[in-house]
Amino acid sequence: MKVKKKLFAAALLALCLPVCAQQKLEMNLWPQGAPNSNGDAADTAKVWVYLPKKEEATGRAVIICPGGGYQHLAMAHEGHDWAPFFNNMGIAAIVLKYRMPRGEAEVPVSDAEEAVRLVRRNASAWNIKAGDVGIMGSSAGGHLASTVATKATGDALPDFQILFYPVITMMPDITHKGSHDNLLGDEPKKKAEREYSSDMQVSRVTPRAFIALSDDDHSVLPANGVNYYVELYRHDVPASLHVYPSGGHGWGNRDSFKYHKQMQLELEAWLRSF
């Protein structure tokens, strides 16, 4: 019996080692107080840092922005659930809980930009290359990621972007109304709508992109991601667009998505291409 117990304990330890060897950190994004305000002092920004095993680290990092229409955050399947996928590739995963805008667009944007800066400030300690930090987002989180990718400068500008079924435009004809209203308010000026339409902000220095969405997405029209791809192509920015026949909206990293394995393989191949 003692031998069996020892064998069981050894097997359990062997299973635990890959997980235990990975490091998870949790911290407030703005320990000294956040800039901008949405009027809710209790709404604070945080990050969870998932580091791969040191000997497997490639030096690459991805900051993950979950979606939720700029009203709430789908922290599990569009956030934390992605960490093992990236860590298994030797990539650090940083999950961002950004503040809701409540009509103040600069609130979540400042959080996402600071998350990029935070990773670069800690690059040495976290075995990350400061020049290999990307940003990823789903739905409204995709809008946030693309906003940072097209508008940020200096240390806040990411090196690549990954977008899943993203909200891209704030123009009323094809935007996601909930994200639009929560980000800019009920009656924003046309100038603000153009400023936060990422397809209108693409330039030749916009970082390369991976875009994935479903053809039957009736929540965020596929034209958002497709138009963004067209603008990237037009500005000679390397980009990869993947449109799946079905799946609707919000599949994140769920196994229930019919094209889950295909999507992961395509994302992995893209990440290994540069």
Side-chain angles (χ1 to χ4, degrees):
M1 183 64 82
K2 287 184 179 179
V3 174
K4 285 184 178 181
K5 283 184 177 179
K6 287 181 179 179
L7 288 172
F8 178 75
L12 203 61
L13 180 61
L15 288 172
C16 180
L17 279 173
V19 177
C20 295
Q22 295 171 349
Q23 187 178 1
K24 177 184 175 183
L25 309 171
E26 179 180 341
M27 63 186 71
N28 289 327
L29 184 64
W30 302 103
Q32 305 301 322
N36 308 309
S37 174
N38 61 9
D40 183 358
D43 187 11
T44 58
K46 296 178 66 174
V47 291
W48 288 262
V49 182
Y50 294 86
L51 301 177
K53 290 182 286 186
K54 188 173 182 179
E55 62 271 21
E56 296 180 2
T58 62
R60 177 166 286 174
V62 177
I63 295 153
I64 303 170
C65 306
Y70 284 125
Q71 184 181 44
H72 63 276
L73 293 176
M75 293 298 297
H77 69 286
E78 292 180 352
H80 297 288
D81 292 353
W82 275 105
F85 170 83
F86 288 112
N87 282 178
N88 287 338
M89 289 186 66
I91 299 172
I94 297 87
V95 180
L96 171 64
K97 176 197 170 292
Y98 54 91
R99 294 169 294 158
M100 297 298 96
R102 306 183 199 281
E104 301 293 337
E106 283 304 312
V107 170
V109 173
S110 60
D111 289 350
E113 289 183 344
E114 179 62 12
V116 178
R117 295 190 196 99
L118 174 72
V119 172
R120 289 190 168 129
R121 286 198 300 268
N122 289 278
S124 179
W126 295 347
N127 297 304
I128 291 169
K129 298 173 184 175
D132 201 2
V133 179
I135 194 165
M136 167 178 145
S138 302
S139 194
H143 178 267
L144 180 58
S146 67
T147 297
V148 173
T150 53
K151 290 169 63 67
T153 59
D155 288 345
L157 179 65
D159 298 294
F160 59 92
Q161 53 183 316
I162 301 168
L163 310 177
F164 293 106
Y165 40 87
V167 178
I168 290 294
T169 184
M170 287 290 117
M171 303 310 288
D173 52 347
I174 61 172
T175 191
H176 177 253
K177 181 170 170 48
S179 298
H180 170 281
D181 292 355
N182 289 325
L183 183 70
L184 301 177
D186 295 336
E187 297 181 358
K189 294 180 179 179
K190 291 295 181 184
K191 180 181 179 181
E193 290 178 331
R194 289 192 295 270
E195 183 181 354
Y196 286 96
S197 292
S198 298
D199 53 334
M200 295 183 178
Q201 306 301 321
V202 173
S203 72
R204 292 183 183 276
V205 298
T206 299
R208 68 179 66 229
F210 177 96
I211 307 165
L213 49 90
S214 294
D215 184 63
D216 64 349
D217 189 339
H218 301 299
S219 297
V220 174
L221 298 180
N224 280 264
V226 173
N227 289 349
Y228 190 56
Y229 169 80
V230 169
E231 288 303 312
L232 292 167
Y233 179 83
R234 197 168 70 83
H235 287 83
D236 296 323
V237 176
S240 182
L241 174 65
H242 304 264
V243 181
Y244 303 109
S246 61
H249 187 76
W251 25 266
N253 201 26
R254 286 175 171 154
D255 292 337
S256 56
F257 175 45
K258 184 177 181 179
Y259 302 97
H260 174 73
K261 289 183 179 178
Q262 179 181 339
M263 175 270 293
Q264 285 196 331
L265 287 171
E266 289 171 344
L267 176 56
E268 181 176 348
W270 182 79
L271 286 164
R272 295 189 189 282
S273 71
F274 62 96

Coordinates of all heavy atoms in Angstrom, one line a residue, residues 82-124:
W82 N -6.9 31.8 -22.3 CA -5.9 31.8 -23.4 C -4.5 31.6 -22.8 O -3.6 31.2 -23.6 CB -6.0 33.1 -24.1 CG -7.0 33.2 -25.2 CD1 -8.2 33.8 -25.2 CD2 -6.9 32.5 -26.5 NE1 -8.9 33.6 -26.4 CE2 -8.1 32.8 -27.2 CE3 -5.9 31.8 -27.1 CZ2 -8.3 32.4 -28.5 CZ3 -6.1 31.3 -28.4 CH2 -7.3 31.6 -29.1
A83 N -4.3 31.8 -21.5 CA -2.9 31.7 -21.0 C -2.2 30.4 -21.3 O -1.1 30.4 -21.7 CB -3.0 32.0 -19.5
P84 N -2.8 29.2 -21.1 CA -2.1 28.0 -21.4 C -1.7 27.9 -22.8 O -0.6 27.3 -23.1 CB -3.1 26.9 -21.0 CG -4.0 27.5 -20.0 CD -4.2 28.9 -20.5
F85 N -2.5 28.3 -23.8 CA -2.2 28.2 -25.2 C -0.9 29.0 -25.5 O 0.0 28.5 -26.1 CB -3.3 28.8 -26.0 CG -3.0 29.0 -27.5 CD1 -3.1 28.0 -28.4 CD2 -2.6 30.3 -28.0 CE1 -2.8 28.2 -29.7 CE2 -2.2 30.5 -29.3 CZ -2.3 29.4 -30.2
F86 N -0.8 30.2 -25.0 CA 0.4 31.0 -25.2 C 1.6 30.5 -24.4 O 2.7 30.4 -25.0 CB 0.1 32.5 -24.9 CG -0.8 33.2 -25.9 CD1 -2.0 33.6 -25.5 CD2 -0.4 33.4 -27.2 CE1 -2.9 34.2 -26.4 CE2 -1.2 34.0 -28.1 CZ -2.4 34.4 -27.7
N87 N 1.4 30.1 -23.2 CA 2.5 29.6 -22.3 C 3.1 28.4 -22.9 O 4.3 28.1 -22.9 CB 2.1 29.3 -20.9 CG 1.9 30.6 -20.1 OD1 1.5 30.5 -18.9 ND2 2.3 31.8 -20.6
N88 N 2.3 27.5 -23.5 CA 2.8 26.3 -24.2 C 3.6 26.6 -25.4 O 4.4 25.7 -25.8 CB 1.6 25.3 -24.5 CG 1.0 24.7 -23.3 OD1 1.6 24.6 -22.3 ND2 -0.3 24.3 -23.5
M89 N 3.5 27.8 -25.9 CA 4.3 28.2 -27.0 C 5.5 29.0 -26.6 O 6.3 29.5 -27.4 CB 3.5 29.1 -28.0 CG 2.5 28.3 -28.8 SD 1.7 29.4 -30.1 CE 3.1 29.8 -31.1
G90 N 5.7 29.1 -25.2 CA 6.8 29.9 -24.7 C 6.5 31.4 -24.7 O 7.4 32.2 -24.5
I91 N 5.2 31.8 -24.8 CA 4.9 33.2 -24.9 C 4.2 33.6 -23.6 O 3.3 32.9 -23.0 CB 3.9 33.4 -26.0 CG1 4.5 33.0 -27.4 CG2 3.4 34.8 -26.1 CD1 3.6 33.0 -28.6
A92 N 4.6 34.7 -23.0 CA 4.0 35.3 -21.8 C 2.6 35.8 -22.2 O 2.4 36.5 -23.2 CB 4.8 36.4 -21.2
A93 N 1.6 35.6 -21.3 CA 0.3 36.0 -21.5 C -0.1 37.0 -20.4 O 0.0 36.6 -19.2 CB -0.7 34.9 -21.5
I94 N -0.5 38.2 -20.7 CA -0.8 39.2 -19.7 C -2.3 39.6 -19.9 O -2.7 40.2 -20.9 CB 0.0 40.5 -19.8 CG1 1.5 40.1 -19.6 CG2 -0.4 41.5 -18.9 CD1 2.3 39.7 -20.8
V95 N -3.2 39.1 -19.0 CA -4.6 39.4 -19.1 C -4.9 40.7 -18.4 O -4.6 40.9 -17.3 CB -5.4 38.2 -18.5 CG1 -6.9 38.5 -18.6 CG2 -5.1 36.9 -19.1
L96 N -5.6 41.6 -19.2 CA -5.9 42.9 -18.7 C -7.3 43.1 -18.4 O -8.2 42.8 -19.2 CB -5.5 44.0 -19.8 CG -6.0 45.4 -19.6 CD1 -5.3 46.0 -18.3 CD2 -5.7 46.3 -20.8
K97 N -7.6 43.5 -17.1 CA -8.9 44.0 -16.7 C -8.9 45.5 -16.8 O -8.4 46.2 -16.0 CB -9.3 43.6 -15.3 CG -10.6 44.1 -14.8 CD -10.8 44.0 -13.3 CE -12.0 44.8 -12.8 NZ -11.9 46.3 -13.0
Y98 N -9.4 46.0 -17.9 CA -9.4 47.4 -18.1 C -10.7 48.1 -17.6 O -11.7 47.4 -17.5 CB -9.2 47.8 -19.6 CG -10.2 47.1 -20.6 CD1 -11.4 47.7 -21.0 CD2 -9.9 45.9 -21.2 CE1 -12.2 47.1 -21.9 CE2 -10.7 45.3 -22.1 CZ -11.9 45.9 -22.4 OH -12.8 45.3 -23.3
R99 N -10.7 49.4 -17.3 CA -11.8 50.1 -16.8 C -12.9 50.3 -17.9 O -12.5 50.5 -19.1 CB -11.4 51.4 -16.2 CG -10.6 51.2 -14.9 CD -10.0 52.6 -14.5 NE -9.0 53.0 -15.5 CZ -8.7 54.3 -15.6 NH1 -9.2 55.3 -14.8 NH2 -7.8 54.7 -16.5
M100 N -14.1 50.3 -17.5 CA -15.2 50.6 -18.5 C -15.2 52.1 -18.8 O -15.0 53.0 -17.9 CB -16.5 50.2 -18.0 CG -16.7 48.7 -17.7 SD -16.5 47.7 -19.2 CE -14.7 47.2 -19.2
P101 N -15.4 52.5 -20.1 CA -15.3 53.9 -20.5 C -16.5 54.8 -19.9 O -16.2 56.0 -19.5 CB -15.4 53.9 -22.0 CG -16.1 52.6 -22.3 CD -15.7 51.6 -21.2
R102 N -17.7 54.3 -19.9 CA -18.9 55.1 -19.5 C -18.9 56.5 -20.3 O -19.1 57.5 -19.7 CB -18.9 55.3 -18.0 CG -18.8 54.1 -17.2 CD -18.9 54.3 -15.7 NE -18.4 53.2 -15.0 CZ -19.1 52.0 -14.8 NH1 -20.3 51.9 -15.2 NH2 -18.6 51.0 -14.1
G103 N -18.6 56.4 -21.6 CA -18.6 57.6 -22.4 C -17.2 58.3 -22.5 O -17.1 59.3 -23.2
E104 N -16.2 57.8 -21.7 CA -14.9 58.5 -21.7 C -13.9 57.5 -22.3 O -13.3 56.7 -21.7 CB -14.5 58.8 -20.2 CG -15.4 59.7 -19.5 CD -15.4 61.1 -20.1 OE1 -14.4 61.5 -20.7 OE2 -16.4 61.9 -19.9
A105 N -13.8 57.6 -23.6 CA -13.0 56.7 -24.4 C -11.5 56.5 -23.9 O -11.0 55.4 -24.0 CB -13.0 57.0 -25.9
E106 N -11.0 57.6 -23.4 CA -9.5 57.5 -23.1 C -9.3 56.7 -21.8 O -8.2 56.3 -21.6 CB -9.0 58.9 -22.8 CG -8.7 59.7 -24.1 CD -7.7 59.0 -25.0 OE1 -6.7 58.5 -24.5 OE2 -8.0 58.9 -26.2
V107 N -10.4 56.3 -21.1 CA -10.2 55.5 -19.9 C -9.6 54.1 -20.2 O -8.5 53.7 -19.8 CB -11.5 55.4 -19.1 CG1 -11.4 54.4 -18.0 CG2 -11.8 56.8 -18.5
P108 N -10.3 53.3 -21.0 CA -9.8 52.0 -21.4 C -8.5 52.1 -22.2 O -7.6 51.2 -22.1 CB -10.9 51.3 -22.1 CG -11.8 52.4 -22.6 CD -11.7 53.5 -21.6
V109 N -8.5 53.1 -23.1 CA -7.3 53.2 -24.0 C -6.0 53.5 -23.1 O -5.0 52.9 -23.4 CB -7.5 54.4 -25.0 CG1 -6.2 54.6 -25.8 CG2 -8.6 54.0 -26.0
S110 N -6.1 54.3 -22.1 CA -5.0 54.6 -21.3 C -4.6 53.3 -20.5 O -3.4 53.1 -20.3 CB -5.3 55.8 -20.3 OG -6.4 55.5 -19.5
D111 N -5.5 52.5 -20.1 CA -5.2 51.3 -19.4 C -4.5 50.3 -20.4 O -3.4 49.7 -19.9 CB -6.5 50.6 -19.0 CG -7.2 51.3 -17.8 OD1 -6.6 52.2 -17.2 OD2 -8.3 50.9 -17.5
A112 N -4.9 50.1 -21.6 CA -4.3 49.2 -22.5 C -2.9 49.7 -22.9 O -1.9 48.9 -23.0 CB -5.1 49.1 -23.8
E113 N -2.7 51.0 -23.1 CA -1.4 51.5 -23.4 C -0.4 51.3 -22.2 O 0.7 51.0 -22.4 CB -1.5 53.0 -23.7 CG -2.2 53.3 -25.1 CD -2.2 54.7 -25.5 OE1 -2.0 55.6 -24.6 OE2 -2.4 55.0 -26.7
E114 N -0.9 51.6 -21.0 CA -0.1 51.4 -19.8 C 0.3 49.9 -19.6 O 1.4 49.6 -19.2 CB -0.8 51.9 -18.6 CG 0.0 51.7 -17.3 CD 1.3 52.5 -17.2 OE1 1.5 53.3 -18.1 OE2 2.1 52.2 -16.3
A115 N -0.6 49.0 -20.0 CA -0.3 47.6 -19.9 C 0.9 47.2 -20.9 O 1.8 46.4 -20.5 CB -1.5 46.7 -20.3
V116 N 0.9 47.8 -22.0 CA 2.1 47.6 -23.0 C 3.3 48.2 -22.3 O 4.4 47.5 -22.3 CB 1.8 48.3 -24.3 CG1 3.0 48.1 -25.2 CG2 0.5 47.7 -25.0
R117 N 3.3 49.3 -21.8 CA 4.4 50.0 -21.1 C 4.9 49.1 -19.9 O 6.1 48.9 -19.7 CB 4.1 51.4 -20.6 CG 3.8 52.4 -21.8 CD 3.8 53.8 -21.2 NE 3.2 54.7 -22.1 CZ 1.9 55.1 -22.0 NH1 1.1 54.7 -21.1 NH2 1.4 56.0 -22.9
L118 N 3.9 48.6 -19.2 CA 4.3 47.8 -18.0 C 5.1 46.6 -18.4 O 6.1 46.2 -17.7 CB 3.0 47.4 -17.3 CG 3.1 46.4 -16.1 CD1 3.7 47.1 -14.9 CD2 1.8 45.7 -15.7
V119 N 4.7 45.9 -19.4 CA 5.4 44.7 -19.9 C 6.8 45.1 -20.3 O 7.7 44.4 -19.9 CB 4.6 44.0 -21.0 CG1 5.4 42.9 -21.6 CG2 3.3 43.5 -20.6
R120 N 6.9 46.2 -21.0 CA 8.3 46.6 -21.4 C 9.2 47.0 -20.3 O 10.4 46.8 -20.3 CB 8.2 47.7 -22.5 CG 7.6 47.1 -23.8 CD 7.7 48.1 -25.0 NE 7.4 47.4 -26.2 CZ 6.5 47.8 -27.1 NH1 5.8 49.0 -26.9 NH2 6.3 47.2 -28.2
R121 N 8.5 47.6 -19.3 CA 9.3 48.0 -18.1 C 9.9 46.8 -17.3 O 10.9 46.9 -16.7 CB 8.5 48.9 -17.1 CG 8.2 50.3 -17.6 CD 7.8 51.2 -16.4 NE 6.6 50.7 -15.8 CZ 5.4 51.1 -16.1 NH1 5.2 52.0 -17.1 NH2 4.3 50.7 -15.5
N122 N 9.1 45.7 -17.4 CA 9.5 44.5 -16.7 C 10.1 43.4 -17.6 O 10.2 42.3 -17.2 CB 8.3 43.9 -16.0 CG 7.8 44.8 -14.8 OD1 8.4 44.7 -13.7 ND2 6.8 45.7 -15.0
A123 N 10.4 43.8 -18.8 CA 10.9 42.9 -19.8 C 12.0 42.0 -19.3 O 12.0 40.8 -19.4 CB 11.3 43.6 -21.1
S124 N 13.0 42.6 -18.7 CA 14.2 41.8 -18.2 C 13.8 40.8 -17.1 O 14.2 39.6 -17.2 CB 15.2 42.8 -17.7 OG 16.4 42.1 -17.2

